[in-house]
C-alpha cells in the first residue's frame, strides 16, 4: 500500500466491511488457501513415501529371535513349553484374531496379544501365530538360535545340532567352527544350484527350442506336396544328435541334484522335534541374535541384493523379484520406444500441418479424453485387437505349423503396445506444447534459407523441441510403468519361467509372457496363500517399483538436460 | 487502395487534381514507365493538402513522388507495381510501386506499422505463412514473377536471402548455421561446404572472430556476432537480393557500426533492401531511400535528396523528426 493510500485509510476510517473486502481483494486469504493445499498434498505424499520406505527396508533388516517361555496353563493349551519366534507386533485381542490364532485363548480374555512369526511351517503346519501376553512367562534372546532361509516352507528358527557332510564324520554345531563349516557347505550348494540352473534353463532350454524348430520343419516338409525323404532323414539325424546331447546334459544335472542332497543338517525346533534337511535346500543361515550392528547391516544388504537379483520362491512370497523387475523394465522400454514416434508424428501433424478448425479442435478434445478412459478398457481393447486380431493373424500367416499360439496369446509386445496406446495422449499433448514453443524466428530463418516446411520441421523444429518431447516420454513412462489392470489380460503372469530378454537367439522374445512389479504387488497382497508371509514383500516390491520408475525417469531427465544445454536459446 | 470515387460531400472545393505539378526537373519521362506516369499526378510540396492523412480523409488517392534518378538507374532487379496487401479485411499496403536498381542498397523508412516489413517480406513470400494474407499487383525479381500460386517459392527463397530483426541462429554449430542453405539444397561435399563457410563468414566480417571455433554452438556468440552470422547464412547461397528487416534494432552501437560497415561492403555484390527505424542509419548505408507512411509509398529517391531536400511534406516532417 502506498503512503498516500494508507494516510487516506487512516483519515477516512472506512467501514470494517470495506476493510475486509480490501483484504480479500488483496489476495492474502487465497495465498493461505493455496499454500495449505500444497502443504496437505506434500504431507500426504511424504507420509506415503516414508511408510513405503520404512516398511520396505524393514523387510530386509534381520529381526531378533525371541525364545518365549509359556506359563504352565498356556503351555498345556498350546501343547509346548517354549515358542521360538520373531515378534512382529502387539495388538488388541479381537474376536476374529482369537478364532484364527489357534493359541487356545479363553473367551473374553482381555489384554493384548503378540503377532509371532514362528517359521518351521513344514513341521508346525503354520508360519505365524498369535499369543496373548498373559500366556508369557519369560522372554529371552539366546545367541545360538539359527535362522534358516530354505527353498521351500519359508524360514526356520532352529537350534542346530549336527552337520553331516558326505565322506566326513558328523560335526557338532555347538562350536563356531561348525557354523563356519555350515556356511561353507551352503555356499557350495548355492554354487551347484546356479550350475543346475545354467544347465537346465539355458543349455537344455536352448536345445529344446532347436529340437522343436527342427520338428516344425519336418512337419512342414511332410505336409508339402512332394516330401523329400532325404531331407526328412537328415532332419531326423540332427534331432537324434540333439537328443543325445540333451541326455548328456540331463545326466549332468541329475548328478548335481544328487550332490545337493548328499550333505545334511540336523536341527531341533521349539516343540522339541528333531529334523534333518539336505544342505542343498538351505538358501542362507544366520544367527540374528549373535549379530552386531555391522553384522546386521551385512545381512540387510545381502537380503536386499538377493531380493533384487533372485527369482521368487514359494508362490512368490519368498525369494527375490528379479523377473518382475526385469519384465517391468523391458516393458517400459518397449512402451516408450513405441509411444514416442507415434505420439510425435501425430503431434507434428496436428500442430504443424492441420488447419485449425472444428475438426482439429474435436480431435484435440478426443485425445485429451482418451487419457481419462479407464485403463481396463484399454486392456480389453488390447486383448481384442492386438492379441486376438493382430496376433491371431500373425499366427495364421507365419506360425501355422506351431503347436500352440505364438503371438495369438498375451505377451510382452501386446502388453507394451496396449500401454503405449493408453499413454499416447500424454506424448501428443507434451509434443504439441514443445513444438508450439519453438520460436517463429528460427522457423522463418530456415524458410528464408530456402528450406521446405518439412525440412524446417525435421532440421530445426524437432531438435529444438526434443527436450519437451522427452518430457512427454517421461510422463508416459511414469504412467505406463505403474499400470496393472490392462496388463493382466494382455500378457502378465504370476510366474514366468523365462525372461523376455535373454542370451538365446533372437534375444528379445516379444511373444513371451512376463512378470510385472505392479501385478506382483497385487498377487502378493491379495492372491497369496500366506498373506502374513507376503506382507513385508508387498512393501519391498512397492519400494522397488517406485525406485525403478524414478531411476528410469532420472535417466530420461539426464538425456533431456543434455539436449537442453545443446539447444539452449541464445543470448537474447 | 481507397476508392477513387470522389466523395464530393467530404471534399470542400478542391478537386484532387488541382495544384498538381510535375516535379521532374528534366521533364523527360520515359513514356513506358508507370512511375513517370504517376509522377504527373504529383501534388505541390507546399500545398498542405498533399499530406497522406489529408488525402485519406478527403478520400483521395495518394500519390507517390519518385525522383528521376531512381527510374534512370537501370537495370532494376526488383520491380513492384500497383502492389496491395490485405490482412483479412485490413489493408496494409496500398498500391505500392517501387523499383530496386541492381547492386544498390535501398532503405525503407517510415513510422511503425507503415508496412515496410510487410513489403519486404512479400519479396521472398514469407507472408505466405499467414493464412489471411491476400495480395494483388505485380512483383518480379529479374524476369520471375514472385506472386501467384505457380511460383516455385523454395527456389525463390534461394535467390532472396533474408536477415531478421531479431537474430535467429539455429541451435546448431556455427559451421552448420552458415552452410544450412547449401545442406538443404543437397550439397554434401565437405570441401565445398568449408569453402562456402569461409567465404560467407569473411563477407560477414566474422571469420577472424570464429574461425577457431566453427564447431561450437552458434548460440554461444554475442548478439552482434549472431546477427553477422545470420548475414553470413543469408549470403552463403549467393542470393540476388538480400532483405534486411531492421537488422540492427536489437544491437548495441558497436555491433550496429560493424553491421553497417558490412552492408557498405556488400553494396555492389548484392542488391540490398533494408528496413530501418533509424534515419541516420538509412542515411549512412543506403543509396536510395523510400519513405512509407500508412501503407503508402510516399517518396522514393536518392538518399541524399530524401534527407536534405524532400519534396513531400510528410517526408520532410518525418526526416526532421516532426512525427513518427
Amino acid at each position: 500500500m502506498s503512503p498516500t493510500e494508507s494516510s487516506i485509510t487512516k483519515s477516512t476510517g472506512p467501514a470494517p466491511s470495506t476493510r475486509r473486502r480490501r483484504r480479500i481483494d488483496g489476495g492474502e486469504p487465497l495465498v493461505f488457501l493455496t499454500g495449505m493445499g500444497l502443504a496437505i498434498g506434500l504431507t500426504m505424499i511424504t507420509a506415503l513415501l516414508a511408510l513405503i520406505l520404512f516398511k520396505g527396508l524393514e523387510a530386509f533388516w534381520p529381526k531378533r529371535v525371541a525364545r518365549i517361555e509359556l506359563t504352565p496353563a498356556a503351555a498345556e493349551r498350546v501343547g509346548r513349553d517354549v515358542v521360538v519366534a520373531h515378534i512382529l507386533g502387539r495388538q488388541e485381542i479381537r474376536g476374529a484374531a482369537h478364532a484364527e490364532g489357534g493359541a487356545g485363548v479363553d473367551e473374553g480374555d482381555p489384554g493384548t496379544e503378540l503377532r509371532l512369526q514362528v517359521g518351521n511351517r513344514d513341521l508346525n503346519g503354520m508360519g505365524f501365530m498369535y499369543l496373548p501376553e498373559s500366556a508369557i512367562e519369560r522372554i529371552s534372546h539366546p545367541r545360538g538360535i539359527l535362522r534358516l532361509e530354505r527353498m521351500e516352507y519359508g524360514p526356520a528358527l532352529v537350534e542346530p545340532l549336527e552337520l553331516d557332510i558326505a565322506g566326513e564324520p558328523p560335526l557338532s554345531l555347538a562350536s563356531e567352527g561348525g557354523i563356519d563349516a555350515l556356511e561353507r557347505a551352503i555356499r557350495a550348494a548355492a554354487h551347484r544350484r546356479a550350475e543346475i540352473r545354467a544347465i537346465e534353463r539355458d543349455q537344455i532350454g536352448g536345445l529344446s527350442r532347436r529340437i522343436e524348430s527342427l520338428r516344425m520343419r519336418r512337419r512342414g516338409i511332410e505336409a508339402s506336396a512332394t516330401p523329400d525323404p532325404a531331407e526328412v532323414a537328415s532332419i531326423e539325424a540332427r534331432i537324434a544328435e540333439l537328443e543325445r546331447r540333451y541326455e548328456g546334459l540331463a545326466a549332468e544335472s541329475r548328478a548335481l541334484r544328487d550332490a545337493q542332497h548328499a550333505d545334511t543338517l540336523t536341527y531341533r525346533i521349539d516343540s522339541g522335534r528333531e529334523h534333518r534337511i539336505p544342505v542343498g535346500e538351505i538358501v542362507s543361515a544366520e544367527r540374528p541374535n549373535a549379530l552386531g550392528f555391522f553384522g546386521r547391516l551385512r545381512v540387510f544388504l545381502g537380503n536386499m541384493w538377493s531380493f533384487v537379483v533372485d527369482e521368487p520362491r514359494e508362490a512368490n512370497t519368498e525369494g527375490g523379484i528379479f523377473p518382475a523387475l526385469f519384465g517391468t523394465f523391458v516393458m517400459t522400454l518397449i512402451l516408450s520406444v513405441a509411444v514416442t514416434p507415434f505420439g510425435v508424428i501425430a503431434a507434428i501433424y496436428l500442430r504443424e500441418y492441420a488447419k485449425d478448425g472444428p475438426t482439429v479442435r474435436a480431435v484435440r478434445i478426443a485425445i485429451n479424453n482418451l487419457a481419462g478412459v479407464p485403463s481396463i478398457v484399454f486392456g480389453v481393447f488390447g486383448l481384442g485387437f492386438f492379441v486376438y486380431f493382430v496376433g491371431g493373424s500373425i499366427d495364421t500367416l507365419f506360425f501355422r505349423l506351431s503347436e500352440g499360439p505364438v503371438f495369438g496369446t498375451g505377451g510382452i509386445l501386446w502388453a507394451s503396445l496396449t500401454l503405449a496406446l493408453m499413454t499416447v495422449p500424454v506424448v501428443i499433448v507434451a509434443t504439441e506444447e514443445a513444438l508450439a514453443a519453438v520460436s517463429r524466428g528460427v522457423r522463418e530463418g530456415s524458410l528464408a534459407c530456402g528450406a521446405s516446411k518439412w525440412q524446417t520441421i525435421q532440421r530445426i523444429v524437432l531438435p529444438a523441441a526434443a527436450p519437451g518431447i522427452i518430457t512427454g516420454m517421461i510422463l508416459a513412462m511414469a504412467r505406463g510403468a505403474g499400470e496393472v489392470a490392462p496388463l493382466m489380460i494382455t500378457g502378465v503372469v504370476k510366474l514366468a519361467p523365462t525372461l523376455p530378454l535373454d542370451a538365446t537367439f533372437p534375444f528379445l522374445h516379444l511373444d513371451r509372457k512376463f512378470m510385472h512389479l505392479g501385478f506382483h504387488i497385487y498377487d502378493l497382497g491379495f492372491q497369496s496363500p500366506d498373506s502374513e508371509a507376503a506382507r513385508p514383500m508387498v512393501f519391498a516390491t512397492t519400494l522397488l517399483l517406485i525406485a525403478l520408475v524414478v531411476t528410469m525417469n532420472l535417466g530420461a531427465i539426464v538425456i533431456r538436460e543434455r539436449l537442453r544445454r545443446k539447444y539452449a536459446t541464445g543470448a537474447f | 487502395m481507397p476508392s477513387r470515387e470522389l466523395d464530393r460531400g467530404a471534399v470542400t472545393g478542391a478537386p484532387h487534381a488541382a495544384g498538381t505539378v510535375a516535379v521532374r526537373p528534366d521533364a523527360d519521362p520515359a513514356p513506358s514507365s508507370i512511375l513517370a506516369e504517376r509522377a504527373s499526378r504529383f501534388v505541390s510540396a507546399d500545398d498542405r493538402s498533399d499530406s497522406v492523412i489529408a488525402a485519406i480523409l478527403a478520400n483521395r488517392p495518394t500519390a507517390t513522388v519518385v525522383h528521376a534518378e531512381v527510374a534512370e538507374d537501370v537495370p532494376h532487379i526488383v520491380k513492384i507495381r500497383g502492389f496491395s496487401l490485405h490482412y483479412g479485411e485490413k489493408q496494409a499496403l496500398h498500391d505500392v510501386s517501387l523499383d530496386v536498381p541492381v547492386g544498390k542498397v535501398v532503405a525503407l523508412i517510415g513510422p511503425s506499422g507503415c508496412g515496410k516489413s510487410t513489403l519486404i517480406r512479400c519479396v521472398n513470400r514469407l507472408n505466405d505463412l499467414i493464412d489471411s494474407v491476400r495480395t494483388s499487383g505485380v512483383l518480379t525479381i529479374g524476369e520471375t514473377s514472385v506472386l501467384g500460386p505457380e511460383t516455385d517459392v523454395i527456389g525463390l527463397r534461394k535467390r532472396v536471402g533474408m536477415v531478421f530483426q531479431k537474430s535467429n541462429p539455429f541451435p546448431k554449430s556455427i559451421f552448420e548455421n552458415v552452410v544450412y542453405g547449401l545442406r538443404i539444397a543437397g550439397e554434401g561435399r565437405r570441401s565445398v561446404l568449408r569453402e562456402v563457410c569461409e567465404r560467407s563468414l569473411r563477407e560477414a566480417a566474422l571469420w577472424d572472430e570464429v574461425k577457431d571455433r566453427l564447431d561450437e554452438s552458434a548460440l554461444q556468440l554475442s548478439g552482434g556476432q549472431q546477427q553477422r552470422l545470420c548475414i553470413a547464412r543469408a549470403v552463403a547461397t549467393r542470393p540476388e537480393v538480400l532483405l534486411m528487416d531492421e537488422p540492427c534494432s536489437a544491437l548495441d552501437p558497436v555491433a550496429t557500426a560493424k553491421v553497417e560497415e558490412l552492408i557498405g561492403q556488400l553494396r555492389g555484390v548484392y542488391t540490398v533492401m533494408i528496413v530501418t527505424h533509424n534515419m541516420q542509419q538509412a542515411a549512412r548505408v543506403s543509396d536510395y531511400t523510400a519513405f512509407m507512411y500508412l501503407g503508402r509509398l510516399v517518396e522514393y529517391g536518392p538518399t541524399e535528396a530524401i534527407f536534405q531536400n524532400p519534396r513531400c511534406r510528410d517526408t520532410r516532417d518525418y526526416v526532421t523528426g516532426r512525427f513518427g
Side-chain angles (χ1 to χ4, degrees), chain A residues 441 444 446-447 450 567-568 572, chain B residues 121 154 157 167-168 171 180 219:
Chain A
E444 287 185 345
S446 169
L447 291 171
Y567 300 120
F572 286 113
Chain B
R121 285 165 61 91
I154 289 167
R157 288 178 187 153
S167 68
N168 52 359
Y180 183 76
L219 303 171

Side-chain angles (χ1 to χ4, degrees), chain B residues 38-106:
Chain B
R38 291 182 65 81
S40 66
R41 302 206 318 262
F42 293 162
V43 292
S44 159
D46 295 313
D47 186 349
R48 192 68 196 162
S49 67
D50 74 337
S51 102
V52 173
I53 291 196
I56 294 168
L57 287 178
N59 217 358
R60 276 188 281 118
T62 52
T64 302
V65 176
V66 179
H67 296 235
E69 290 88 335
V70 188
E72 283 159 3
D73 191 354
V74 283
H76 294 154
I77 181 156
V78 179
K79 297 193 189 79
I80 303 173
R81 294 292 146 75
F83 184 76
S84 298
L85 180 141
H86 289 78
Y87 287 120
E89 289 302 303
K90 187 176 167 289
Q91 188 167 7
L93 290 176
H94 298 258
D95 196 13
V96 172
S97 295
L98 179 111
D99 287 354
V100 179
V102 70
K104 293 292 173 5
V105 178
V106 173

Side-chain angles (χ1 to χ4, degrees), chain B residues 64-211:
Chain B
T64 302
V65 176
V66 179
H67 296 235
E69 290 88 335
V70 188
E72 283 159 3
D73 191 354
V74 283
H76 294 154
I77 181 156
V78 179
K79 297 193 189 79
I80 303 173
R81 294 292 146 75
F83 184 76
S84 298
L85 180 141
H86 289 78
Y87 287 120
E89 289 302 303
K90 187 176 167 289
Q91 188 167 7
L93 290 176
H94 298 258
D95 196 13
V96 172
S97 295
L98 179 111
D99 287 354
V100 179
V102 70
K104 293 292 173 5
V105 178
V106 173
L108 285 95
I109 60 169
S112 294
C114 68
K116 313 177 295 280
S117 296
T118 302
L119 181 63
I120 72 161
R121 285 165 61 91
C122 288
V123 178
N124 68 349
R125 285 193 50 180
L126 261 191
N127 280 331
D128 285 13
L129 300 180
I130 302 156
D131 286 336
S132 59
V133 163
R134 282 180 298 119
T135 55
S136 62
V138 178
L139 205 171
T140 57
I141 292 180
E143 297 304 310
T144 322
S145 169
V146 171
L147 307 173
E150 67 286 342
T151 309
D152 169 19
V153 178
I154 289 167
L156 167 76
R157 288 178 187 153
K158 287 182 176 144
R159 295 171 57 194
V160 183
M162 184 156 185
V163 178
F164 295 81
Q165 179 173 8
K166 205 179 139 189
S167 68
N168 52 359
F170 304 137
K172 293 169 176 287
S173 70
I174 294 170
F175 179 77
E176 287 298 327
N177 258 281
V178 177
V179 301
Y180 183 76
L182 277 86
R183 280 236 193 258
I184 49 182
E187 179 62 71
R189 282 168 299 171
R190 192 81 190 161
S191 58
V192 175
L193 295 177
R194 282 224 156 269
E195 200 178 304
V196 170
C197 178
E198 178 171 348
R199 191 207 75 214
S200 309
L201 286 171
R202 280 191 194 283
E203 283 184 354
L206 193 60
W207 174 252
D208 292 330
E209 288 163 63
V210 300
K211 64 183 174 197

